[in-house]
Amino acid sequence: MRYLPFTHASHFLKERDFGQKIEASFDFVRAHFKPLGKALLMIVLPTALVIGLVSAVLALQWFSTLQGLQNSTQAKNNPAAIMGSVVSDVFLSPAYISILLGALVLITTFVLTVYGYVTLRMDTAPEQEVTVSAVWQLVRQRFVGTALALVGLGVTLGVLSFAVSMVGGLLSLLLVGSGGMMAGFGAVLMMCLIFGGTTYVSVTLSLFLIIWVRERLGFFATIGRSFRLIWGKWWSTFGLLMVMLIICMMLMFALMLVTSLISSPLALIKSNGTLEGTARVGFILANALSTLLSLVIYPLILLALAFQYFNLVERKEGESLHYLVDAIGQPAPEAQPQVLLPDDEGEY
């Protein structure tokens, strides 16, 4: 069976059914494993390792802090004191805020590297390879804007979720005022509105990042573009995202089995939060290994969403026709010898 080399825009801009989009994600990784992997290793991996190691060290410290609070006599008689200490010592600590900022840097770099490589591959001549320096230049140019866009996207999701919650709350109050069974129905209705509204907006905006990187629109224009493209295809996008998440979760579970050979989670529990010596080193090394191997898994989700975006663009706008028109009058590419495998039918 022959696979697309994904070296021309027309290889991306195709109408694909559900299974073909998943297949295309794996085929793209197969075809560009070396150059894309090199870009991820040289651009994303250093940041990921630093954040992963720092997170592992801080996680050990926080676990020790929580164990100390639980074991203290004063805290046992005052659960509110435990929550207050957790908020002040963990969630409001400079270390935790630094990790959040580091996570923003990592996500921004990761998204720009993957989608930057895809867009550069589409715009680069088929015989040329997309270099790490070209991807790094795109990452540097778009980093600040993309980081702010991610923050804005999070704020937008929060505001929309709050608005849906307010509407659901008002409806619930009206039903609760009626008493009886309507009170319970109002609570269920509020939860359904919150969950359903948040899910709908989250799936719709899942195309935001590929649109942002490839089409270079403004923030609100990108949001509007996401809603227009996904109109009528929300369920297929939701199903694709769920299937890819399940696949990646299974791969991550296998990854956890691998890393558990280095550091068993039971060691953390039995030590009462006081990992020492080889156990502490093993925990940190396992976290670093998990970070390294996750660079192979997480791009699959981004690529699946990218091929859904290309599928919707082709279905609604037929963008590949523009590339065919531009190719009129240009010399035909040189034919490359093909090796047919035993299961290939050939061309007649």
Side-chain angles (χ1 to χ4, degrees):
M1 180 179 180
R2 287 170 290 178
Y3 303 98
L4 285 174
F6 293 102
T7 55
H8 192 273
S10 60
H11 298 161
F12 296 87
L13 293 164
K14 284 182 174 292
E15 295 186 17
R16 292 181 168 91
D17 59 26
F18 188 87
Q20 289 173 337
K21 284 174 280 193
I22 298 177
E23 184 181 1
S25 304
F26 287 92
D27 289 346
F28 182 86
V29 173
R30 181 187 297 109
H32 296 273
F33 182 82
K34 183 177 180 180
L36 178 58
K38 187 185 298 184
L40 289 170
L41 288 176
M42 298 184 67
I43 299 175
V44 181
L45 182 60
T47 304
L49 285 178
V50 170
I51 295 176
L53 292 174
V54 172
S55 300
V57 173
L58 291 178
L60 293 174
Q61 294 178 355
W62 290 336
F63 190 84
S64 300
T65 301
L66 293 177
Q67 287 292 324
L69 289 174
Q70 292 179 356
N71 294 332
S72 65
T73 305
Q74 183 178 0
K76 289 181 179 179
N77 299 328
N78 188 4
I82 297 180
M83 294 303 299
S85 299
V86 169
V87 172
S88 61
D89 296 341
V90 178
F91 297 108
L92 296 181
S93 64
Y96 184 77
I97 296 175
S98 299
I99 289 179
L100 291 180
L101 293 177
L104 177 62
V105 172
L106 177 59
I107 294 173
T108 303
T109 307
F110 179 71
V111 169
L112 286 175
T113 300
V114 175
Y115 284 156
Y117 181 89
V118 171
T119 55
L120 289 173
R121 182 64 273 171
M122 294 179 67
D123 298 335
T124 304
E127 65 276 7
Q128 296 179 358
E129 184 177 294
V130 177
T131 62
V132 176
S133 59
V135 178
W136 173 239
Q137 182 179 3
L138 185 146
V139 172
R140 287 190 290 109
Q141 291 175 347
R142 305 292 305 276
F143 181 83
V144 176
T146 304
L148 294 177
L150 285 172
V151 174
L153 195 61
V155 173
T156 301
L157 287 173
V159 171
L160 291 176
S161 300
F162 178 76
V164 172
S165 301
M166 291 298 295
V167 173
L170 291 175
L171 293 176
S172 299
L173 287 176
L174 294 176
L175 294 174
V176 168
S178 303
M181 295 180 59
M182 297 303 292
F185 178 75
V188 174
L189 177 62
M190 182 181 69
M191 296 301 297
C192 290
L193 284 175
I194 295 174
F195 178 77
T198 303
T199 302
Y200 177 82
V201 175
S202 299
V203 173
T204 302
L205 294 180
S206 63
L207 301 180
F208 178 93
L209 293 172
I210 180 61
I211 297 174
W212 172 268
V213 175
R214 181 171 185 258
E215 301 189 12
R216 295 176 178 265
L217 302 176
F219 179 77
F220 293 104
T222 304
I223 291 178
R225 175 79 165 152
S226 300
F227 276 88
R228 288 192 299 271
L229 278 179
I230 211 171
W231 182 259
K233 293 293 181 179
W234 187 90
W235 282 108
S236 63
T237 307
F238 173 77
L240 176 66
L241 189 57
M242 290 298 102
V243 170
M244 290 304 298
L245 285 175
I246 292 174
I247 293 175
C248 290
M249 286 175 61
M250 293 174 62
L251 294 175
M252 288 300 297
F253 179 75
L255 174 62
M256 290 176 59
L257 294 180
V258 174
T259 56
S260 65
L261 298 177
I262 300 176
S263 175
S264 174
L266 295 176
L268 183 62
I269 299 175
K270 293 179 180 179
S271 62
N272 294 323
T274 58
L275 279 180
E276 296 179 355
T278 57
R280 179 181 291 271
V281 174
F283 179 80
I284 296 176
L285 289 179
N287 194 74
L289 179 61
S290 176
T291 300
L292 175 61
L293 296 179
S294 64
L295 293 180
V296 183
I297 299 176
Y298 290 139
L300 293 172
I301 300 176
L302 295 181
L303 290 172
L305 292 173
F307 282 109
Q308 173 68 342
Y309 159 76
F310 293 130
N311 168 67
L312 295 178
V313 168
E314 184 61 19
R315 287 179 181 274
K316 297 187 177 184
E317 301 173 359
E319 187 177 327
S320 63
L321 294 176
H322 300 292
Y323 291 96
L324 295 177
V325 172
D326 294 338
I328 296 177
Q330 297 182 2
E334 296 182 2
Q336 299 292 333
Q338 296 178 348
V339 178
L340 295 179
L341 299 177
D343 58 345
D344 285 334
E345 297 180 358
E347 298 179 357
Y348 302 94

